[in-house]
Amino acid sequence: MSEVVERLRHVLPPEALVTDHDRMQSYRYDRAMFCPAGEPLAVVLARETAHVQAAVRVAAEYGVPIVPQGARSGLSGAANALDGCIVVSLEKMDKILRIEDVDRYVVTQPGVYNAVLSRAVAEHGLFYPPDPSSWEFCSIGGNLSTNSGGLCCVKYGVTTDYVLGLEVVLADGRVLRTGRKTVKGVAGYDLTKLLVGSEGTLGIITEATLALRPQTARPRTMAALFDSGVTAGEAIIEIIRSGVSLSLLEIMDRTTIAAVNDYKRMDLPTEAAAMLIAQSDAGGEAGAADIATVAKLCREHGAIECIEADDEAEGELLLEARRSALLALDELGTTMIDDVCVPRSRLADFIGATEKIATDLDITIGVLGHAGDGNMHPTVVFDAQDPEQARRAQVAFDKVMEVGLELGGTITGEHGVGVLKRDWLRQEIGPVAESVHRAIKAALDPKNLLNPGKVVT
Ligand SMILES: Cc1cc2nc3c(=O)[nH]c(=O)nc-3n(C[C@H](O)[C@H](O)[C@H](O)COP(=O)(O)OP(=O)(O)OC[C@H]3O[C@@H](n4cnc5c(N)ncnc54)[C@H](O)[C@@H]3O)c2cc1C
């Protein structure tokens, strides 16, 4: 047994330490394909902040890398283990500590799943908007560390817009408290925002204070069918231009619809080349007017059919279809999921360019995404056993990011950089921003032990 493991045994209770080789295997990977993953030395199942501090101090003493993990639903390899590292899993720190209705915040441990937190605050008449499609199987700590988006972000924004304060274990084991519990507050540098989206490279989040909103009205949902993805993209631009305030605007192409039908045993229309799903939570007549406006705009801009959901349950089914889209495409073969976000005015161009990449490279790309944000997930589907197809898949994956940047977009709207997009990050942010990233990393983690090799190298 290594000296490091011996030391961890000394400072942690037995239930907080896993060293069994087979048990550690499931802590090696997140859900990204083609990202390297090493063999950890040990997995720490932290139950409290002190366990995280103890693990970090041992890592600092022996110069061993630390990889923080939530629920490992990430799509960039950011949570993948490194050879000889200590994985610190936050999955057992899964308690909601306090819900305040007047001050409208929740204090939570990081291991709580997004959907669990959302349901818990809903019981108090409150609403936590960030809702990644993976909400049933991703943790708040992971959401904070990747600055997750989701389906209703088109109206309500992303994770960072709801983070009031954090408790974070730093690379030397000290506990940093950032932020506030008040509506406003500008004391000092905004360390909270710096840590959100840092993918476990600057500190380990052990507690979060998250802002809440009052619950919204019952949503109204509709679907619009188009015979071309580009036409659907043009309709989205017109919807945005009109100023109508939707709480959700998603897109799925024919490949994705067919995959979802197979996966969920649904009967979504496969005759359409693309389907938009729109939702308004304005309530009452305002909600009905929003949906009527969207239907009119879609018809005027090429929709072949617009269908309003009969009731909330039918609307929820449509959302469920969209949420399961990536899992459904996974069933068709190996997938590489892009996460490009383009200015919304360039959506139609982006969809057209993605379709061209698929045709030119003779490869399947399922086009889906949070269209209202311009955040698209073109998903390359291929046979990993066929080396030539795997090569073309990698080219297609890269070309989608190239087109995204050419259109004034970003390589990642919500999934993060991890190891998958490290080289592309450099291209997007340029040498000056890269050196500032390095300086921040060096200031907070001088020994480069926190999730090294992720985001910046
Ligand atoms: C089918 C599917 C659909 C998805 N849909 C969406 C979507 O709509 N929107 C979206 O944004 N993402 C989506 N994702 C991606 C993923 O679910 C999110 O990135 C999620 O936030 C990851 O949470 P996690 O708990 O699984 O984190 P992990 O994958 O375990 O970790 C992600 C990153 O956070 C770090 N980390 C985790 N916990 C902590 C902590 N407590 N302190 C410090 N660092 C930490 C890890 O080191 C890693 O860098 C989807 C994934 C799948 C598989």
Side-chain angles (χ1 to χ4, degrees):
M1 196 192 317
S2 87
E3 218 178 307
V4 176
V5 172
E6 191 58 44
R7 189 88 187 93
L8 286 170
R9 268 197 213 297
H10 189 66
V11 295
L12 290 166
E15 69 275 14
L17 189 63
V18 178
T19 52
D20 174 72
H21 177 264
D22 292 343
R23 247 187 105 191
M24 289 199 293
Q25 291 309 299
S26 59
Y27 292 92
R28 291 183 60 212
Y29 296 96
D30 65 13
R31 298 204 187 201
M33 295 290 164
F34 298 114
C35 291
E39 291 282 352
L41 205 59
V43 174
V44 173
L45 300 177
R47 260 73 173 180
E48 52 188 78
T49 303
H51 294 166
V52 178
Q53 288 181 278
V56 168
R57 285 190 174 126
V58 171
E61 190 182 335
Y62 289 90
V64 171
I66 286 249
V67 178
Q69 279 183 0
R72 299 184 305 281
S73 72
L75 291 170
S76 69
N80 282 7
L82 303 164
D83 275 332
C85 77
I86 301 172
V87 165
V88 174
S89 167
L90 286 303
E91 67 186 9
K92 303 286 184 201
M93 289 184 69
D94 60 355
K95 290 183 191 53
I96 295 173
L97 303 173
R98 201 156 89 234
I99 298 172
E100 293 289 345
D101 56 355
V102 175
D103 291 322
R104 285 198 202 136
Y105 66 77
V106 53
V107 182
T108 183
Q109 290 188 325
V112 175
Y113 279 15
N114 179 298
V116 170
L117 183 115
S118 296
R119 288 186 195 113
V121 303
E123 282 176 22
H124 294 250
L126 295 164
F127 173 40
Y128 178 64
D131 62 339
S133 302
S134 51
W135 69 334
E136 295 284 4
F137 54 89
C138 67
S139 75
I140 291 293
N143 294 172
L144 292 162
S145 304
T146 54
N147 194 6
S148 278
L151 272 61
C152 70
C153 295
V154 62
K155 181 167 178 181
Y156 295 105
V158 298
T159 299
T160 191
D161 300 314
Y162 294 87
V163 191
L164 294 176
L166 298 171
E167 179 190 272
V168 180
V169 174
L170 297 174
D172 59 8
R174 284 179 301 160
V175 172
L176 165 73
R177 281 194 166 270
T178 74
R180 57 196 161 85
K181 292 194 165 51
T182 49
V183 173
K184 294 165 75 179
V186 293
Y189 293 151
D190 196 340
L191 300 179
T192 309
K193 298 260 183 210
L194 175 65
L195 285 151
V196 172
S198 63
E199 301 185 31
T201 61
L202 301 180
I204 304 182
I205 299 166
T206 46
E207 191 185 291
T209 305
L210 306 172
L212 303 170
R213 300 175 67 106
Q215 229 165 35
T216 58
R218 281 173 192 280
R220 292 180 87 114
T221 312
M222 63 157 287
L225 308 182
F226 293 82
D227 58 12
S228 132
V230 173
T231 312
E234 283 161 357
I236 292 164
I237 294 171
E238 294 311 319
I239 293 169
I240 306 286
R241 198 193 305 277
S242 78
V244 61
S245 170
L246 292 174
S247 53
L248 180 147
L249 185 54
E250 297 285 319
I251 188 170
M252 290 164 44
D253 74 349
R254 183 183 280 129
T255 304
T256 312
I257 295 169
V260 169
N261 278 347
D262 287 347
Y263 180 65
K264 297 289 284 184
R265 309 227 170 284
M266 282 186 167
D267 195 19
L268 300 171
T270 42
E271 66 276 14
M275 175 170 76
L276 296 188
I277 304 173
Q279 195 167 72
S280 168
D281 64 1
E285 285 177 14
D290 286 344
I291 291 298
T293 304
V294 173
K296 181 169 170 289
L297 286 167
C298 285
R299 278 196 202 93
E300 285 170 6
H301 294 277
I304 46 179
E305 201 179 346
C306 294
I307 318 145
E308 185 171 351
D310 285 338
D311 51 29
E312 210 181 336
E314 201 175 281
E316 190 45 45
L317 261 182
L318 277 172
L319 264 58
E320 191 42 43
R322 168 60 191 89
R323 284 193 191 108
S324 63
L326 290 178
L327 299 174
L329 288 166
D330 263 348
E331 296 291 306
L332 302 184
T334 302
T335 55
M336 289 184 85
I337 304 162
D338 265 300
D339 178 37
V340 165
C341 190
V342 292
R344 294 177 293 188
S345 57
R346 307 306 304 271
L347 250 180
D349 297 333
F350 180 72
I351 293 170
T354 303
E355 288 174 356
K356 184 167 178 334
I357 292 169
T359 309
D360 290 353
L361 288 165
D362 188 22
I363 198 116
T364 302
I365 304 184
V367 177
L368 67 145
H370 311 297
D373 298 327
N375 187 187
M376 299 292 289
H377 299 314
T379 300
V380 187
V381 185
F382 61 103
D383 176 1
Q385 304 306 318
D386 177 341
E388 172 49 23
Q389 233 187 85
R391 185 196 64 79
R392 279 183 281 129
Q394 179 69 56
V395 174
F397 180 75
D398 286 338
K399 275 198 174 299
V400 168
M401 280 189 278
E402 194 178 304
V403 166
L405 289 180
E406 277 166 15
L407 293 175
T410 170
I411 53 163
T412 175
E414 58 183 18
H415 295 164
V417 174
V419 285
L420 198 59
K421 295 167 213 143
R422 262 182 334 206
D423 296 341
W424 282 95
L425 176 74
R426 216 165 283 145
Q427 200 162 316
E428 177 171 333
I429 67 176
V432 176
E434 194 188 348
S435 72
V436 173
H437 273 65
R438 288 224 179 86
I440 291 170
K441 172 76 170 159
L444 286 178
D445 180 18
K447 293 183 181 166
N448 192 26
L449 295 180
L450 284 173
N451 220 0
K454 316 290 175 64
V455 188
V456 273
T457 46

